[in-house]
Amino acid sequence: MRFNESLLNLENGDSFYLATKMIREYKDTHPNNKVVSLGIGDVSFPICKVVEEAMQKAVIDEANEKTFTGYGSHYGIKALRTAIRDNEYPTFSIDEIYVSQGTKSDVGDILELFSSDVLVGIPNPTYPIYKNACISLNKNYEEIPCDDNFIPQVPTKHFDVIYLCSPNNPTGISYTYDELKKWIDYAIKEDCVILYDNVYFKFIEHGVKSIYEVEGAKKCSIEFRSFSKHASFTGIRCSYYVIPNELNKDINKYWRLRTINRFNGASYVSQIGALATFEKAVKDQLEENIKYYKDNASYLRKAFIDLGYQVYGGLDAPYLWIKCPKDISGWSLFNSFLNELEVVIVPGSIFGNSAANYFRVSALGKKEDIIEAIERIKRYEQKTK
Ligand code: PLP
C-alpha cells in the first residue's frame, strides 16, 4: 500500500499533541493538584436552553414517520440559509450560502475548488489548519511573513489563493478596513481568491465584522463562519460560508458539483439548533456570553501588561498574543508555567515558526480560573524577580 506520505509532514499536529500529552502526564502524576488552563480554545458555556429544546424536538421529528426528513439539502436546510441571509448577509442570495459541519473542515475542503497547481499563501503565524490542509491535499503553499505588529504583508508576487483569519488565531488581531482593502485590491489585480476565516466575528465590536463590508470583497472573497464560538456549537457542529456569484460567474456551478458529490449535508438536528440561535432571546443570551469572554480578555490584557509583558490582541478577539520575557521560547515558558505554577499556556511556535518566542492565552475559560492563573503568575513573577 502506498500512503499519502505528506500526512507525515503534519508537524503542527505533533506539537499540539505533544503539549496535550505533557499536560495529561503532569495531571496523571499530580492527581490532587489543580491545573488551571489559559490554553483553552474551546468555549465554556453550554448551548442555550431554547437551542437545546429545538434540537430535542428535531430528534423527535426524526423518530416519527410523518416528520422524518432523511437526507436533506446538500447546501443546508432552506430555513437556516434564509435566516443566515436575513440576519448576516442581507445583500446575498441564499444560493450563495452553504451550511456545513464546521469551519475546520470547510477551510480545508474548499481547496477542492481549485486546480491542483495553484499556489496558496498562508500568513505566519496563523491557525495551523490551513497549512495542514495544503500538506494533506498536496497543494503548493508559501508562508507570508507578518510585520512587527503581526499584520501579514501584502505580497509582491502572485498567489492564486490566500488564507486570512480575522480576528486571527492566535494573535487575536483583527484587520482594519484599510488593511483589508489592500488585500482586496491585490486579490482583484492578481485574480486571487481570499479565503477569509471569520469564526470569531461576534467578538468584533469596533472593526470590520465581515470582509464583505469592504469595497470589492465580493469579487474575490469567500467568507467562513461557524456557530462554534459564539453559540457553543463546538460539539454540536454547524458552520456556513459564502461564495459570491460576483467572484466568478461559474464558481457556484463548480462548487455545487463538488458538494453534491462529496457531501450529504450537515446534521438536521444541528441545523435546527443553529436556526434557533437567531431567535431574539437566544441572541441576547449569546451576546452576554460574548461579553463575559471579552471581560475575561480585558482582565487578562491588563494583568499581563501590568506585569510588564508585551501584549497583542484581546480587544476584538478571545485570544491574547504575548511575548515571552527575556526572549525565552514559548515551549520553555510552557514548561515552567506547567511545572512550577500548574498553569497552561500555548507555545507560539504551534502557529508558525516566526512565533517561537511568543505564547497564546485564551479568554474562553471560566473567570475564576483566569483570576487564579493570573494570581499564580503574579506570585511567580515576584519570586523570580
Ligand atoms: N477557524 C479558526 C480560526 C479557529 O480558531 C477554529 C477553532 O479553534 C476553527 C476555525 C474551528 O471551527 P469549527 O469548530 O467550526 O470547526
Side-chain angles (χ1 to χ4, degrees), residues 41-42 101-107 127 130 165 167-169 197-200 225-229 233-234 237-239 319 360:
D42 207 332
Q101 51 198 2
T103 300
K104 183 169 178 174
S105 29
D106 295 341
V107 291
Y127 186 47
Y130 315 136
C165 181
N168 188 24
N169 179 9
D197 185 339
N198 191 220
V199 295
Y200 300 101
R225 286 181 171 178
S226 168
F227 293 90
S228 282
K229 304 295 173 169
F233 270 48
T234 48
R237 314 302 299 145
C238 196
S239 59
Y319 298 125
R360 190 194 77 179

Side-chain angles (χ1 to χ4, degrees), residues 113-333:
L113 179 60
F114 304 103
S115 124
S116 57
D117 59 356
V118 291
L119 179 62
V120 182
I122 304 174
N124 177 5
T126 195
Y127 186 47
I129 297 310
Y130 315 136
K131 183 164 143 186
N132 289 345
C134 291
I135 293 173
S136 313
L137 299 169
N138 295 303
K139 288 275 196 277
N140 293 320
Y141 71 90
E142 268 178 36
E143 292 185 321
I144 299 176
C146 288
D147 66 14
D148 292 345
N149 290 315
F150 291 101
I151 304 296
Q153 296 302 285
V154 177
T156 45
K157 66 179 280 185
H158 174 78
F159 283 94
D160 301 290
V161 177
I162 284 182
Y163 282 101
L164 294 181
C165 181
S166 184
N168 188 24
N169 179 9
T171 60
I173 295 172
S174 37
Y175 293 91
T176 63
Y177 187 99
D178 290 345
E179 282 156 1
L180 282 176
K181 183 76 176 73
K182 282 189 204 155
W183 283 99
I184 288 163
D185 291 346
Y186 166 88
I188 293 172
K189 186 168 123 271
E190 292 290 327
D191 196 13
C192 161
V193 176
I194 294 174
L195 303 177
Y196 194 70
D197 185 339
N198 191 220
V199 295
Y200 300 101
F201 71 106
K202 290 281 183 193
F203 289 81
I204 299 180
E205 247 174 291
H206 308 292
V208 181
K209 275 196 191 248
S210 160
I211 196 167
Y212 302 121
E213 289 168 29
V214 182
E215 193 201 331
K218 282 185 183 171
K219 293 192 182 127
C220 59
S221 319
I222 298 177
E223 179 163 279
F224 298 85
R225 286 181 171 178
S226 168
F227 293 90
S228 282
K229 304 295 173 169
H230 66 281
S232 299
F233 270 48
T234 48
I236 306 289
R237 314 302 299 145
C238 196
S239 59
Y240 57 92
Y241 49 89
V242 181
I243 304 185
N245 288 326
E246 260 185 59
L247 206 159
N248 177 293
K249 71 176 175 33
D250 291 326
I251 194 166
N252 278 302
K253 182 181 86 186
Y254 278 93
W255 192 248
R256 279 196 278 272
L257 276 172
R258 175 270 169 198
T259 301
I260 54 177
N261 284 292
R262 302 265 300 123
F263 186 57
N264 253 344
S267 140
Y268 174 71
V269 176
S270 72
Q271 290 189 75
I272 292 296
L275 181 58
T277 66
F278 291 106
E279 285 182 29
K280 171 87 175 77
V282 182
K283 277 195 202 168
D284 292 347
Q285 176 65 57
L286 298 181
E287 258 176 45
E288 277 189 31
N289 295 357
I290 295 286
K291 186 173 174 320
Y292 176 98
Y293 296 134
K294 290 196 70 157
D295 286 349
N296 283 349
S298 304
Y299 175 84
L300 283 165
R301 219 182 123 82
K302 182 170 180 332
F304 276 104
I305 289 173
D306 288 350
L307 284 165
Y309 285 77
Q310 194 177 335
V311 179
Y312 301 81
L315 295 170
D316 281 314
Y319 298 125
L320 291 91
W321 184 238
I322 306 179
K323 186 152 186 353
C324 300
K326 301 176 198 130
D327 268 345
I328 60 171
S329 76
W331 273 108
S332 161
L333 200 69

Side-chain angles (χ1 to χ4, degrees), residues 361-375:
V361 158
S362 163
L364 293 170
K366 285 276 170 219
K367 179 167 261 143
E368 52 274 21
D369 287 343
I370 284 172
I371 293 172
E372 171 70 35
I374 290 295
E375 288 309 312

